[in-house]
Amino acid sequence: MLWSKWTAGPETGTTENVFVSVTLFRARRVLDMPGIIWSGQALQQRWTELSGAIGVWTWLDMPRKCNGSVSIWREEADMRAFVRWKPHVEIVKKHRQSGQMTSSSWIYPRLDRRAIRLSAEG
């Protein structure tokens, strides 16, 4: 599994009770992976535009045809605003038939990037 570097968002003041969202996208075909990966990178490059975003990692597992993200937000409402954000909606529509997405989320008591990532990986 390959992980991206941490990409910081504009939110710097929140350190307690952060909202963590983990997504996993499993492609139906390996041929779909390059476009899916490119789309995820395009979103990650715009991370600083997202109100309430603390930061994100993306990851890739080519043998399993999977990729995903671990994102940390000030609160759940910020993540939900991202889900409705036009660039995100367009990417979801574009790749909807290419595979299946699952997600999980929780509140973590403090901003501890290492511990959050370990929890997300487990």
Side-chain angles (χ1 to χ4, degrees), residues 45-103:
Q45 290 174 352
R46 297 185 66 183
W47 207 252
T48 58
E49 300 175 33
L50 301 170
S51 178
I54 296 171
V56 64
W57 294 279
T58 57
W59 57 271
L60 170 64
D61 185 342
M62 283 297 286
R64 294 184 179 168
K65 299 182 293 193
C66 295
N67 72 318
S69 66
V70 178
S71 57
I72 305 174
W73 303 88
R74 177 182 52 203
E75 58 187 36
E76 183 177 2
D78 298 316
M79 186 273 302
R80 294 204 178 277
F82 164 72
V83 169
R84 293 185 307 271
W85 186 45
K86 185 177 179 179
H88 180 259
V89 170
E90 290 171 358
I91 287 171
V92 168
K93 285 180 182 177
K94 180 179 180 179
H95 297 291
R96 181 171 285 146
Q97 301 304 316
S98 300
Q100 181 179 10
M101 199 271 301
T102 58
S103 66

